[in-house]
Amino acid sequence: MQRRNKATNVGLLLLLSQIYQVGFSRIPPVTLVTLAVNIFLFLQPLKQLDQTCISVQKCLYMKDWHRLYLSPFHHADDWHLYFNMVSLLWKGIKLERSLGSAWFGCIIALFSLLVGVVYMILEIVFAELLDDPIYKLNCAVGFSGVLFALKVLNNYYHPGGTSNIMGIHVSNKYACWLELLAIHFFSPGTSFSGHLAGILVGLMYTKGPLKTVVETCADGLTFGSSGRRNSYRSGNFSYSGYPSYTPRDYRTYTNGMSEEEQFERAMRNSLNDRSGSSGNYSDERRPYGFWFPPGELSVEELRRQRLSRYARQ
């Protein structure tokens, strides 16, 4: 694995533009710190990529355990960083404001390590089943495995809806599986095992013991910091935690779009140039990142209306 070309940073510039448009004050702290760590390590990597990527041979056989926590936060190039961090931005806003920063922070820390462990197990299984030792040599970096796990959690805590993946409408409950196959077949060089590991870790949370582990972690971090324990219920499940933020209507941030529609719009608009600084945009030229039609209320206007309504009560 070769070191990336530092001169190619268009993806990084688009990412910073996207974060700026969302607004730092609207990004919860754990999501913001995770974004900052990934960007910092892209600009100032701790080691060469071939010394941070995770593989069975390097990590397990050679006992280079540092790769477990280094590999998720290093990226192969600026576009790899851009697509992963745009996805993290919207998943993080939605999940962290629902679950609370302590809970979400424990999820990020635990998933970052566990995805690497499950990845190595999968590579060993594939190597044995297919009788091909190359799987033990495959070396992977990037945050996408954790993002697949967060996608499972997002569908768990916010059930319902459908996604359009390459023209195929599928329930959000199964969208991650179709996305796994689509990325594997149409994006050469991506890690099928890494993405599958993320889905499995997510399922270990929603259907296994990881949720209890995360709850214990969050309780330990927040015990005594709040006198009132909050409870969150949705559908047929419930959990307790200490949310740092009051739950909000996320249609304010997403304009009612599904996650896939948000991501597609972000990619489409990010690849267009700015038409100027006047704030008026034609259909062909729009600002980077998310764009909503001029006739719709802005997030700031919605916020002002809510505050005005509360002031009258």
Side-chain angles (χ1 to χ4, degrees):
M1 184 178 295
Q2 298 297 321
R3 186 180 180 86
R4 63 175 177 269
N5 182 4
K6 285 189 174 183
T8 307
N9 285 322
V10 176
L12 175 60
L13 295 177
L14 293 179
L15 172 59
L16 294 176
S17 174
Q18 181 75 73
I19 294 173
Y20 177 77
Q21 288 192 36
V22 172
F24 290 101
S25 62
R26 295 179 184 147
I27 304 175
V30 173
T31 301
L32 186 59
V33 168
T34 306
L35 288 166
V37 168
N38 278 274
I39 293 173
F40 175 80
L41 291 179
F42 174 79
L43 296 173
Q44 297 293 332
L46 296 180
K47 298 180 180 180
Q48 296 275 351
L49 284 180
D50 60 0
Q51 295 177 320
T52 59
C53 64
I54 186 172
S55 69
V56 175
Q57 182 192 40
K58 299 288 188 181
C59 190
L60 183 61
Y61 294 164
M62 300 180 65
K63 302 188 184 304
D64 188 1
W65 303 113
H66 298 293
R67 295 172 183 265
L68 272 175
Y69 60 83
L70 290 178
S71 58
F73 300 101
H74 287 78
H75 290 81
D77 55 46
D78 56 323
W79 289 110
H80 188 203
L81 176 75
Y82 170 74
F83 289 120
N84 279 355
M85 293 303 101
V86 167
S87 182
L88 170 63
L89 179 62
W90 296 108
K91 288 182 177 72
I93 288 175
K94 195 169 187 179
L95 284 171
E96 186 174 348
R97 290 194 181 278
S98 295
L99 301 177
S101 295
W103 192 295
F104 188 69
C106 290
I107 286 175
I108 293 295
L110 181 61
F111 283 17
S112 295
L113 292 175
L114 198 54
V115 165
V117 173
V118 176
Y119 165 79
M120 289 192 292
I121 293 175
L122 288 174
E123 293 287 63
I124 292 174
V125 170
F126 290 149
E128 296 300 325
L129 289 178
L130 301 176
D131 193 24
D132 188 352
I134 193 64
Y135 287 97
K136 297 181 180 180
L137 303 177
N138 289 339
C139 216
V141 293
F143 207 71
S144 54
V146 179
L147 293 173
F148 266 86
L150 294 181
K151 187 177 185 68
V152 174
L153 266 62
N154 186 58
N155 294 333
Y156 173 70
Y157 286 118
H158 307 94
T162 61
S163 299
N164 186 335
I165 301 178
M166 302 185 68
I168 301 176
H169 290 275
V170 61
S171 169
N172 284 337
K173 185 177 181 180
Y174 306 107
C176 59
W177 295 102
L178 182 58
E179 187 176 347
L180 171 70
L181 296 176
I183 292 176
H184 175 65
F185 287 112
F186 296 101
S187 298
T190 57
S191 175
F192 177 82
S193 296
H195 297 163
L196 177 58
I199 294 177
L200 295 179
V201 168
L203 292 175
M204 290 166 63
Y205 177 96
T206 61
K207 300 182 181 298
L210 280 186
K211 187 177 178 182
T212 301
V213 175
V214 171
E215 181 176 14
T216 302
C217 170
D219 286 349
L221 290 176
T222 59
F223 181 74
S225 64
S226 175
R228 180 172 58 89
R229 188 178 180 86
N230 298 295
S231 178
Y232 176 90
R233 298 187 63 89
S234 177
N236 58 355
F237 67 89
S238 65
Y239 70 91
S240 297
Y242 300 87
S244 301
Y245 296 90
T246 303
R248 301 182 181 180
D249 184 358
Y250 296 103
R251 288 173 296 181
T252 299
Y253 296 96
T254 66
N255 203 41
M257 295 187 297
S258 69
E259 181 184 340
E260 282 70 26
E261 290 170 333
Q262 297 169 40
F263 191 52
E264 289 175 4
R265 178 167 286 188
M267 290 189 294
R268 183 173 63 252
N269 293 337
S270 293
L271 295 177
N272 292 327
D273 294 326
R274 295 182 184 274
S275 61
S277 58
S278 64
N280 297 320
Y281 305 96
S282 65
D283 289 338
E284 294 77 24
R285 298 178 68 83
R286 298 170 180 171
Y288 292 127
F290 283 82
W291 179 87
F292 301 123
E296 298 176 5
L297 293 177
S298 67
V299 173
E300 187 63 26
E301 181 61 26
L302 288 172
R303 186 183 68 84
R304 286 197 296 267
Q305 289 186 10
R306 287 202 305 272
L307 291 176
S308 177
R309 183 172 66 254
Y310 293 152
R312 292 194 298 268
Q313 294 178 350

